[in-house]
Amino acid sequence: MAPNTSPSSGAASPTASVVDAPFFSPVHPTSARRPTDAITVESVNTTYSEEYITAQFQNRGADVVVQEGDRFLIKPTIKPFEFRTKRKVPKTGLMMVGWGGNNGTTLTATIVANKHNISWHNKSTVQQPNYIGSLLRASTIRLGLDADGKDIYAPLSDLLPMVHPNDLVLGGWDISGARIDEAMTRAAVLEWDLQRQVAPYLKEYGAPLPSIYYPDYIAANQSERADNVLPGSDKQVHLEQIRKDIRDFKAKNELDQVIVFWTANTERYSDILPGVNDTADNILGAIKGSHEEVAPSTVFAVASILEGAPFINGAPQNTFVPGVMELAERHGSFIGGDDLKSGQTKLKSVLAEFLVNAGIKPLSIASYNHLGNNDGWNLSSDRQFRSKEISKSSVVDDMVAANHLLYKTKEELEAANGGPLPAGKDGKAAKGEHPDHIVVIKYVPAVGDSKRAIDEYYSEILGGGRSTINIFNECEDSLLATPLILDLAILAELLTRINYKEVGKDADFKPLYPVLSLLSYMLKAPLVKPGTDVVNSLSRQRNALETFLKACIGLEGSSDLLLETRIW
């Protein structure tokens, strides 16, 4: 049968003679297929049917009353919940906006290499395809103790039935019309020997679908790539075309679910304007009227919401203006973002938490980056850099706010100031005391996808002393980002299959809240339910996800108490 060369379909395998002398090796553990019922819980709290896993879970918390004289009254709370997870893993498609970019082509090539177990030569050895860097595929979770009192760990992906990355059907859009194999060569991320072997497979995908291009939203230096764009400037027409693309992709590939992922260029921030993008009805009206403050990413988000396809924003711009958030609530359609947390920011969230939790007071955090890929080229424009700066700048806020012994609260600063504090440089309301935090990104073409990040943490220690920690981090940007796209897409799909009810309150099961804050571990500026606090602490983000997945099979969250080792 002839291969399907539709640009929006999964690629068929080329004949063996096309691929020149591939290297085959045992399947890497991160790519190996494991049974979807690898973990079974034997408990009165957990029941299994052919269709569902149903679990009882006690959500334990505490209500705290702050009293005079720095006294706290704590009332422990217990709320019983029931979670129900569909066991059947649906046939899932991943449509990427910016499919022909560094991340999109790297992800496609990675899946092809794993799917066909294609190894390749680097300078020193034969490299095995894998999914290293994926939280789901390459990390483990502690299940408990065996009969000898030893810890037992299992892959995180074994907790619940999840899509295997090799099974994702890929497609998407790009403002560049280069075929996916040509775009991979242009990106220059992967080893040449790997590119040589996967190119025939990638060629079968053809070119991406035409995308939306509004020149005001990305750097002018991207205009030379924009040869594959939807015609005209009617944003309503563009919205309907993207909706049709999603429907056609789903139907043509006989998919049960489609995830839409923005991995295109960073856009400038959109102004939040009353009557334009502040409500669901207004954002729909603004699209119909082709208002200038409707970004391409927002059009894609709205199209996905209206089609019931989860949409994840992997870039830092404010795609999810208030109107989009309200629209997602109205339709019960899942959204998540913003900005992939791959290197410097992930490290910062760990080190800042370590310092503050150790009772050391960071006074300043200075971050410098330079890189030479197309992302760096786009970010060399001031307005696009500003979006990235904002997403990076708030990463330590919650950790600082949690320690009022080291940092004065907003109220304490206002009392000392004799009145309200002025708003910050970003126009947002003043915060409490926090470290000076500066982020610099420079475009240096020579280093390509190999990003250099330099961080300085300057802190106060005992007796007015000072401590300085300098970190130099060199990483291949797209090779860190690509596994996060897989994690986000796979988790987003899983969360569509999980319903819950509060025992004694809800009669029927219902879906999770549309904003998928459980994706926060992979994101720089996590999107959360309006009115709730953003958690940037990496350990808390990981623990929240782990605890939730365990709750869905009737297990308590992770406990490092290890009481058995501390008693007679």
Side-chain angles (χ1 to χ4, degrees):
M1 184 174 67
N4 185 347
T5 57
S6 165
S8 58
S9 70
S13 301
T15 58
S17 60
V18 175
V19 181
D20 183 21
F23 300 97
F24 293 98
S25 60
V27 175
H28 194 274
T30 60
S31 184
R33 290 187 181 275
R34 297 172 58 84
T36 57
D37 59 351
I39 292 175
T40 300
V41 177
E42 188 176 296
S43 167
V44 295
N45 295 325
T46 311
T47 58
Y48 296 85
S49 69
E50 187 174 338
E51 188 175 4
Y52 297 110
I53 301 172
T54 305
Q56 309 291 328
F57 177 72
Q58 303 285 337
N59 189 41
R60 302 177 187 276
D63 292 335
V64 181
V65 178
V66 181
Q67 301 177 323
E68 292 184 3
D70 288 335
R71 295 177 182 274
F72 303 96
L73 178 63
I74 304 173
K75 300 178 181 179
T77 61
I78 300 177
K79 289 185 178 181
F81 285 85
E82 192 171 338
F83 291 102
R84 190 177 70 180
T85 306
K86 288 184 180 178
R87 302 183 71 175
K88 182 182 177 182
V89 177
K91 186 177 181 183
T92 302
L94 173 59
M95 297 190 79
M96 290 171 279
V97 191
W99 188 18
N102 288 26
N103 292 342
T105 57
T106 300
L107 182 142
T108 306
T110 298
I111 288 178
V112 164
N114 278 279
K115 187 172 184 177
H116 299 283
N117 199 25
I118 300 173
S119 298
W120 64 97
H121 271 299
N122 59 25
K123 289 187 293 185
S124 59
T125 186
V126 173
Q127 177 63 52
Q128 189 179 4
N130 59 67
Y131 288 115
I132 290 176
S134 162
L135 176 71
L136 298 178
R137 301 298 310 178
S139 75
T140 60
I141 187 170
R142 181 179 177 272
L143 299 178
L145 303 175
D146 66 7
D148 297 321
K150 302 296 184 183
D151 286 329
I152 299 298
Y153 293 86
L156 188 59
S157 58
D158 282 2
L159 277 178
L160 289 166
M162 299 185 195
V163 176
H164 192 288
N166 292 3
D167 295 334
L168 288 170
V169 180
L170 303 178
W173 306 262
D174 203 285
I175 62 172
S176 169
R179 288 196 323 258
I180 297 302
D181 60 313
E182 297 169 336
M184 173 188 65
T185 301
R186 177 181 62 194
V189 172
L190 299 168
E191 295 273 1
W192 177 84
D193 193 37
L194 175 58
Q195 292 189 44
R196 174 183 67 82
Q197 295 183 74
V198 300
Y201 294 92
L202 268 61
K203 185 176 181 180
E204 297 296 328
Y205 285 101
L209 296 165
S211 193
I212 299 173
Y213 177 58
Y214 304 150
D216 181 51
Y217 270 89
I218 59 175
N221 58 38
Q222 300 297 303
S223 61
E224 60 191 46
R225 283 188 177 226
D227 59 6
N228 187 46
V229 301
L230 294 176
S233 57
D234 190 324
K235 298 186 178 183
Q236 182 66 35
V237 171
H238 295 165
L239 172 67
E240 296 304 328
Q241 181 60 53
I242 299 304
R243 294 186 64 180
K244 182 177 183 299
D245 289 343
I246 296 171
R247 291 195 300 269
D248 290 349
F249 179 75
K250 187 174 184 178
K252 187 164 193 173
N253 295 287
E254 299 180 333
L255 301 172
D256 303 306
Q257 182 64 273
V258 175
I259 311 295
V260 180
F261 198 105
W262 180 277
T263 184
N265 279 315
T266 295
E267 299 172 331
R268 70 164 174 86
Y269 255 47
S270 296
D271 293 333
I272 308 300
L273 302 175
V276 174
N277 47 21
D278 54 338
T279 70
D281 290 334
N282 286 342
I283 191 64
L284 292 174
I287 292 173
K288 192 170 184 178
S290 299
H291 196 281
E292 62 182 7
E293 287 305 311
V294 177
S297 62
T298 296
V299 176
F300 274 100
V302 170
S304 302
I305 289 168
L306 296 178
E307 291 300 320
F311 179 88
I312 301 168
N313 176 34
Q317 69 273 347
N318 60 339
T319 297
F320 300 117
V321 293
V324 174
M325 299 274 281
E326 184 181 308
L327 190 70
E329 288 182 338
R330 178 185 294 178
H331 289 269
S333 193
F334 292 112
I335 57 176
D338 296 305
D339 203 7
L340 297 176
K341 180 166 58 183
S342 56
Q344 186 182 54
T345 307
K346 183 173 287 185
L347 182 62
K348 189 179 297 182
S349 68
V350 172
L351 194 54
E353 182 180 29
F354 151 67
L355 290 169
V356 173
N357 285 352
I360 295 171
K361 182 179 181 179
L363 300 173
S364 68
I365 303 173
S367 299
Y368 169 86
N369 307 256
H370 71 262
L371 71 164
N373 60 21
N374 193 58
D375 183 41
W377 183 222
N378 180 62
L379 291 174
S380 64
S381 174
D382 287 343
R383 291 196 299 172
Q384 284 66 40
F385 165 71
R386 181 59 180 150
S387 295
K388 178 68 74 172
E389 184 181 34
I390 291 171
S391 77
K392 281 175 167 277
S393 64
S394 60
V395 69
V396 301
D397 285 356
D398 60 317
M399 290 162 265
V400 167
N403 193 329
H404 65 274
L405 300 174
L406 295 179
Y407 297 95
K408 293 183 174 63
T409 65
K410 178 183 176 182
E411 291 72 24
E412 288 174 324
L413 290 178
E414 288 180 337
N417 190 54
L421 300 173
K425 292 180 180 179
D426 57 3
K428 294 183 180 180
K431 300 178 284 190
E433 184 184 8
H434 57 280
D436 295 334
H437 191 183
I438 186 170
V439 176
V440 177
I441 301 176
K442 293 297 182 182
Y443 176 60
V444 181
V447 302
D449 199 59
S450 183
K451 184 167 93 171
R452 274 74 165 160
I454 303 170
D455 289 282
E456 179 187 272
Y457 299 80
Y458 182 62
S459 305
E460 180 179 351
I461 57 176
L462 184 69
R466 295 292 185 265
S467 168
T468 302
I469 299 174
N470 285 300
I471 297 176
F472 179 84
N473 175 23
E474 180 181 345
C475 63
E476 293 171 279
D477 208 26
S478 301
L479 299 183
L480 285 176
T482 293
L484 304 186
I485 297 176
L486 289 173
D487 285 340
L488 288 163
I490 292 168
L491 275 175
E493 185 288 311
L494 171 64
L495 295 176
T496 68
R497 288 186 280 123
I498 298 175
N499 287 350
Y500 77 96
K501 65 179 177 181
E502 188 173 343
V503 178
K505 179 180 178 182
D506 300 321
D508 300 313
F509 284 97
K510 54 189 179 183
L512 300 173
Y513 181 73
V515 176
L516 299 178
S517 55
L518 281 167
L519 305 180
S520 294
Y521 183 90
M522 281 73 69
L523 298 161
K524 279 191 182 77
L527 193 69
V528 298
K529 184 178 182 180
T532 58
D533 291 335
V534 176
V535 174
N536 282 295
S537 160
L538 201 69
S539 62
R540 290 185 63 195
Q541 291 171 342
R542 162 77 190 227
N543 189 52
L545 178 60
E546 181 178 316
T547 301
F548 179 80
L549 295 179
K550 280 188 170 181
C552 290
I553 56 173
L555 295 179
E556 292 291 329
S558 59
S559 172
D560 290 322
L561 175 58
L562 299 177
L563 184 61
E564 300 88 347
T565 70
R566 309 181 197 282
I567 58 177
W568 286 98

